[in-house]
Coordinates of all heavy atoms in Angstrom, one line a residue:
Chain F
T1420 N -3.1 2.8 14.1 CA -2.3 1.6 13.7 C -0.9 1.8 13.9 O -0.4 2.9 13.8 CB -2.5 1.2 12.2 OG1 -2.0 2.3 11.4 CG2 -4.0 1.0 11.9
S1421 N -0.2 0.8 14.3 CA 1.3 0.9 14.6 C 1.9 -0.5 14.6 O 1.3 -1.4 14.0 CB 1.5 1.6 16.0 OG 2.8 1.9 16.2
I1422 N 3.1 -0.6 15.2 CA 3.8 -1.8 15.2 C 4.3 -2.0 16.6 O 4.6 -1.1 17.3 CB 5.0 -1.8 14.2 CG1 5.8 -0.5 14.3 CG2 4.6 -2.1 12.8 CD1 7.1 -0.5 13.6
V1423 N 4.5 -3.3 17.0 CA 5.0 -3.6 18.3 C 6.2 -4.6 18.1 O 6.2 -5.5 17.3 CB 3.9 -4.3 19.2 CG1 4.5 -4.9 20.5 CG2 2.8 -3.3 19.5
L1424 N 7.3 -4.3 18.9 CA 8.5 -5.1 18.8 C 8.2 -6.5 19.3 O 7.7 -6.8 20.3 CB 9.6 -4.5 19.6 CG 11.0 -5.1 19.4 CD1 11.5 -5.0 18.0 CD2 12.0 -4.4 20.4
A1425 N 8.6 -7.5 18.4 CA 8.4 -8.9 18.8 C 9.8 -9.5 19.3 O 10.8 -9.0 19.0 CB 8.1 -9.7 17.5
E1426 N 9.6 -10.4 20.2 CA 10.8 -11.1 20.8 C 10.7 -12.6 20.6 O 9.7 -13.2 21.0 CB 11.0 -10.7 22.3 CG 11.4 -9.3 22.5 CD 11.4 -8.9 24.0 OE1 10.8 -9.6 24.8 OE2 12.0 -7.8 24.3
G1427 N 11.6 -13.1 19.8 CA 11.6 -14.6 19.5 C 10.5 -15.0 18.6 O 10.2 -16.2 18.6
L1428 N 10.0 -14.1 17.8 CA 9.0 -14.5 16.8 C 9.6 -14.5 15.4 O 10.7 -14.0 15.2 CB 7.8 -13.6 16.9 CG 7.1 -13.4 18.2 CD1 5.8 -12.6 18.1 CD2 6.8 -14.8 18.8
E1429 N 8.9 -15.0 14.4 CA 9.4 -15.2 13.0 C 9.6 -13.8 12.3 O 10.4 -13.8 11.4 CB 8.5 -16.1 12.2 CG 7.1 -15.5 12.0 CD 6.2 -16.3 11.2 OE1 6.6 -17.3 10.5 OE2 5.0 -16.1 11.3
I1430 N 9.0 -12.8 12.7 CA 9.3 -11.4 12.2 C 9.5 -10.5 13.4 O 9.2 -10.7 14.5 CB 8.2 -10.9 11.3 CG1 6.8 -10.9 12.0 CG2 8.1 -11.6 10.0 CD1 5.7 -10.1 11.2
K1431 N 10.2 -9.3 13.0 CA 10.6 -8.4 14.0 C 9.5 -7.5 14.6 O 9.5 -7.2 15.8 CB 11.7 -7.6 13.4 CG 12.6 -6.8 14.4 CD 13.7 -6.1 13.7 CE 14.2 -4.9 14.5 NZ 15.0 -4.0 13.7
M1432 N 8.6 -7.1 13.8 CA 7.6 -6.1 14.2 C 6.2 -6.7 13.9 O 6.0 -7.3 12.8 CB 7.7 -4.8 13.4 CG 9.1 -4.2 13.3 SD 10.0 -3.9 14.9 CE 8.9 -2.8 15.8
V1433 N 5.4 -6.7 14.9 CA 4.0 -7.2 14.8 C 3.1 -5.9 14.5 O 3.0 -5.1 15.4 CB 3.5 -7.9 16.0 CG1 2.1 -8.4 15.8 CG2 4.4 -9.1 16.3
P1434 N 2.4 -5.9 13.4 CA 1.4 -4.8 13.2 C 0.2 -4.9 14.1 O -0.3 -6.0 14.4 CB 1.0 -4.9 11.7 CG 1.3 -6.3 11.4 CD 2.4 -6.8 12.2
V1435 N -0.2 -3.7 14.6 CA -1.3 -3.7 15.6 C -2.3 -2.5 15.2 O -1.9 -1.6 14.5 CB -0.8 -3.5 17.0 CG1 0.0 -4.7 17.5 CG2 0.0 -2.2 17.2
R1436 N -3.5 -2.6 15.8 CA -4.4 -1.5 15.6 C -5.3 -1.4 16.9 O -5.4 -2.3 17.7 CB -5.3 -1.7 14.4 CG -6.3 -2.8 14.7 CD -7.2 -3.1 13.5 NE -8.2 -2.1 13.2 CZ -9.1 -2.2 12.2 NH1 -9.1 -3.2 11.4 NH2 -10.0 -1.3 12.0
T1437 N -5.9 -0.2 17.1 CA -7.0 -0.2 18.1 C -8.2 -0.7 17.4 O -8.5 -0.5 16.2 CB -7.2 1.2 18.6 OG1 -7.6 2.1 17.5 CG2 -6.0 1.8 19.3
N1438 N -9.0 -1.5 18.1 CA -10.1 -2.2 17.5 C -11.3 -1.2 17.4 O -12.4 -1.6 16.8 CB -10.5 -3.5 18.1 CG -10.9 -3.4 19.6 OD1 -10.9 -2.3 20.1 ND2 -11.4 -4.5 20.2
K1439 N -11.2 0.0 18.0 CA -12.2 1.0 17.8 C -11.4 2.4 17.7 O -10.3 2.4 18.1 CB -13.1 1.1 19.1 CG -14.1 0.1 19.2 CD -14.9 0.4 20.5 CE -14.7 -0.7 21.5 NZ -15.3 -0.6 22.8
P1440 N -12.1 3.4 17.2 CA -11.4 4.7 17.2 C -11.1 5.2 18.6 O -11.9 4.9 19.5 CB -12.4 5.6 16.4 CG -13.3 4.7 15.7 CD -13.4 3.5 16.5
I1441 N -10.0 5.8 18.8 CA -9.7 6.5 20.1 C -9.7 8.0 19.9 O -9.5 8.5 18.8 CB -8.5 5.9 20.7 CG1 -7.2 6.3 19.9 CG2 -8.5 4.4 20.9 CD1 -5.9 5.9 20.6
A1442 N -9.8 8.7 21.0 CA -9.8 10.2 20.9 C -8.6 10.7 20.2 O -7.5 10.3 20.4 CB -9.9 10.8 22.3
K1443 N -8.8 11.6 19.2 CA -7.7 12.1 18.4 C -6.6 12.8 19.2 O -5.4 12.6 18.9 CB -8.3 13.2 17.5 CG -7.6 13.4 16.2 CD -8.5 14.1 15.2 CE -8.0 15.4 14.8 NZ -8.8 16.1 13.8
K1444 N -7.0 13.4 20.3 CA -6.0 14.1 21.2 C -5.1 13.1 21.9 O -4.0 13.5 22.4 CB -6.6 15.1 22.1 CG -7.6 14.4 23.1 CD -8.2 15.5 24.1 CE -9.0 14.9 25.2 NZ -10.3 14.5 24.8
L1445 N -5.5 11.8 21.9 CA -4.7 10.8 22.6 C -3.7 10.1 21.6 O -2.8 9.3 22.0 CB -5.6 9.7 23.2 CG -6.1 9.9 24.6 CD1 -7.0 8.7 25.0 CD2 -4.9 9.9 25.6
I1446 N -3.8 10.4 20.3 CA -3.1 9.6 19.3 C -1.6 9.6 19.5 O -1.0 8.5 19.5 CB -3.5 10.1 17.9 CG1 -5.0 9.7 17.5 CG2 -2.6 9.5 16.8 CD1 -5.2 8.3 17.2
L1447 N -1.0 10.8 19.7 CA 0.4 10.8 19.8 C 0.9 10.2 21.1 O 2.0 9.5 21.1 CB 0.9 12.3 19.7 CG 0.8 12.9 18.3 CD1 1.1 14.4 18.3 CD2 1.8 12.2 17.3
T1448 N 0.2 10.4 22.2 CA 0.6 9.7 23.5 C 0.5 8.2 23.3 O 1.4 7.4 23.7 CB -0.5 10.1 24.6 OG1 -0.7 11.5 24.5 CG2 0.1 9.7 25.9
A1449 N -0.6 7.7 22.6 CA -0.8 6.3 22.4 C 0.4 5.7 21.6 O 0.9 4.6 21.8 CB -2.1 6.1 21.8
A1450 N 0.8 6.5 20.5 CA 1.8 6.0 19.6 C 3.1 5.8 20.4 O 3.9 4.9 20.2 CB 2.0 7.0 18.5
E1451 N 3.4 6.7 21.4 CA 4.6 6.6 22.2 C 4.5 5.4 23.1 O 5.4 4.7 23.3 CB 4.8 7.9 23.1 CG 5.5 9.0 22.3 CD 6.8 8.6 21.7 OE1 7.7 8.1 22.4 OE2 6.9 8.8 20.5
E1452 N 3.3 5.2 23.7 CA 3.0 4.2 24.7 C 3.3 2.8 24.0 O 3.8 1.9 24.6 CB 1.6 4.3 25.2 CG 1.4 3.7 26.5 CD 2.3 4.2 27.6 OE1 2.6 5.4 27.6 OE2 2.6 3.4 28.5
I1453 N 2.9 2.7 22.7 CA 3.0 1.4 22.0 C 4.5 1.0 21.9 O 4.8 -0.2 21.9 CB 2.4 1.6 20.6 CG1 0.8 1.5 20.7 CG2 2.9 0.5 19.6 CD1 0.1 1.7 19.5
K1454 N 5.4 1.9 21.9 CA 6.8 1.6 21.8 C 7.3 0.8 23.0 O 8.4 0.2 22.9 CB 7.6 2.9 21.6 CG 7.4 3.6 20.3 CD 8.3 4.8 20.2 CE 8.1 5.6 19.0 NZ 8.7 6.9 19.0
K1455 N 6.6 0.9 24.1 CA 7.1 0.2 25.3 C 6.6 -1.3 25.4 O 7.1 -2.0 26.2 CB 6.5 0.9 26.6 CG 7.0 2.4 26.7 CD 6.3 3.0 27.9 CE 6.5 4.5 27.9 NZ 5.6 5.2 28.8
I1456 N 5.7 -1.6 24.5 CA 5.1 -3.0 24.5 C 6.0 -4.0 23.8 O 6.7 -3.6 22.9 CB 3.7 -3.0 23.9 CG1 2.8 -1.9 24.5 CG2 3.1 -4.3 24.0 CD1 1.6 -1.6 23.7
R1457 N 6.1 -5.2 24.3 CA 6.8 -6.3 23.7 C 5.8 -7.5 23.5 O 5.0 -7.7 24.4 CB 8.0 -6.8 24.5 CG 9.0 -5.7 24.8 CD 9.8 -5.3 23.5 NE 10.8 -4.3 23.7 CZ 10.5 -3.0 23.6 NH1 9.3 -2.6 23.2 NH2 11.5 -2.1 23.8

Side-chain angles (χ1 to χ4, degrees):
Chain F
T1420 62
S1421 187
I1422 43 167
V1423 170
L1424 189 60
E1426 287 172 344
L1428 305 187
E1429 62 182 341
I1430 55 171
K1431 194 174 154 194
M1432 310 308 298
V1433 179
V1435 294
R1436 71 184 287 182
T1437 58
N1438 63 354
K1439 281 182 247 178
I1441 64 172
K1443 207 162 114 178
K1444 58 178 191 284
L1445 269 178
I1446 290 283
L1447 286 171
T1448 318
E1451 278 306 305
E1452 205 57 34
I1453 284 175
K1454 291 183 184 169
K1455 298 177 191 161
I1456 307 167
R1457 300 288 179 270

